[in-house]
Amino acid sequence: DAGITQSPRHKVTETGTPVTLRCHQTENHRYMYWYRQDPGHGLRLIHYSYGVKDTDKGEVSDGYSVSRSKTEDFLLTLESATSSQTSVYFCAISGDRLNTEAFFGQGTRLTVV
Amino acid sequence: GENVEQHPSTLSVQEGDSAVIKCTYSDSASNYFPWYKQELGKGPQLIIDIRSNVGEKKDQRIAVTLNKTAKHFSLHITETQPEDSAVYFCAASREPGTYKYIFGTGTRLKVLA
């Protein structure tokens, strides 16, 4: 299995509180991604990173921010959590253009009450 | 916007029978089509992929076919086994290894013993 660790694996938080999810990789891969998975929607890209301090928005980025200060870490922050952000969050990594496979982490189940 | 439709949403087959899952994509520039398998409580894992310059690809009991003219691609699993039970996602991308995966909504496959 690719070396991807997501933390925490489960979290319950209250509406309006900030939340940070962490993705840590040991593969030295260039690209890192945050997806959310919801019933009936499959996986949808939130943000991605193509290098240290280089990030961009995906299709569902509103309400989320990211940071990547080191190759191995990609943080996803919900500045003020809402119930609509209750979801399972997956981090994924992939190498350069010659490396086609994206490896996914185990996921973080976030519940906003 | 870009979209990938996946059918059926659930599929039950008897052990030993074949299973077929179909996807249709809207972005004619898509040229990379991976299939992911997700087991309960785990992240998606790549099982097979195909590029636009190939019409079919096989890997043991799994095959993928691509019809670029019709913008259809399909996953075929032969001689199904109980361990094939999982959720399967198709995806489309303009470039291998980049962030731009548009996922289908998933198919829950149940293989009945």
Side-chain angles (χ1 to χ4, degrees):
Chain A
D1 290 343
I4 309 172
T5 304
Q6 289 186 232
S7 58
R9 292 293 313 280
H10 302 272
K11 187 171 182 66
V12 179
T13 191
E14 293 185 349
T15 299
T17 61
V19 177
T20 295
L21 308 182
R22 181 183 183 230
C23 179
H24 178 79
Q25 61 143 329
T26 57
E27 305 295 325
N28 201 34
H29 278 356
R30 177 182 178 187
Y31 295 94
M32 299 186 75
Y33 321 85
W34 278 107
Y35 286 89
R36 61 177 289 174
Q37 183 175 33
D38 304 289
H41 290 279
L43 294 123
R44 293 179 292 174
L45 182 67
I46 305 170
H47 281 281
Y48 71 102
S49 170
Y50 46 95
V52 173
K53 298 185 179 179
D54 292 323
T55 65
D56 206 345
K57 296 178 180 180
E59 59 182 309
V60 290
S61 60
D62 287 349
Y64 302 95
S65 63
V66 291
S67 66
R68 190 171 179 196
S69 59
K70 298 183 289 185
T71 298
E72 55 266 35
D73 289 325
F74 193 33
L75 304 180
L76 177 70
T77 297
L78 291 67
E79 300 291 347
S80 177
T82 68
S83 57
S84 64
Q85 293 175 313
T86 292
S87 186
V88 180
Y89 292 85
F90 286 98
C91 174
I93 63 173
S94 69
D96 60 25
R97 292 189 177 189
L98 299 178
N99 184 351
T100 59
E101 182 172 356
F103 298 93
F104 283 80
Q106 298 275 60
T108 294
R109 182 173 295 276
L110 176 68
T111 303
V112 183
V113 298
Chain B
E2 296 153 11
N3 186 46
V4 174
E5 293 188 1
Q6 183 171 347
H7 299 281
S9 57
T10 60
L11 178 61
S12 293
V13 299
Q14 290 293 327
E15 182 178 359
D17 287 351
S18 296
V20 180
I21 303 170
K22 299 182 179 182
C23 289
T24 304
Y25 60 98
S26 61
D27 183 4
S28 56
S30 295
N31 56 16
Y32 175 66
F33 308 91
W35 284 90
Y36 283 84
K37 176 183 180 182
Q38 185 178 27
E39 297 176 341
L40 194 63
K42 297 185 178 181
Q45 187 168 14
L46 180 73
I47 56 171
I48 195 167
D49 57 11
I50 191 168
R51 290 179 176 77
S52 59
N53 59 346
V54 175
E56 182 175 1
K57 183 177 179 180
K58 279 187 177 180
D59 183 2
Q60 299 182 345
R61 297 185 296 108
I62 295 173
V64 57
T65 58
L66 172 65
N67 181 331
K68 281 213 72 177
T69 302
K71 292 191 278 188
H72 289 169
F73 59 113
S74 300
L75 178 71
H76 304 254
I77 305 173
T78 59
E79 301 173 17
T80 54
Q81 300 167 5
E83 52 265 37
D84 294 328
S85 296
V87 178
Y88 291 82
F89 291 96
C90 63
S93 169
R94 288 189 172 189
E95 290 185 71
T98 68
Y99 73 97
K100 204 168 180 65
Y101 284 19
I102 305 298
F103 281 88
T105 51
T107 295
R108 183 173 298 279
L109 173 65
K110 294 181 184 178
V111 180
L112 308 172

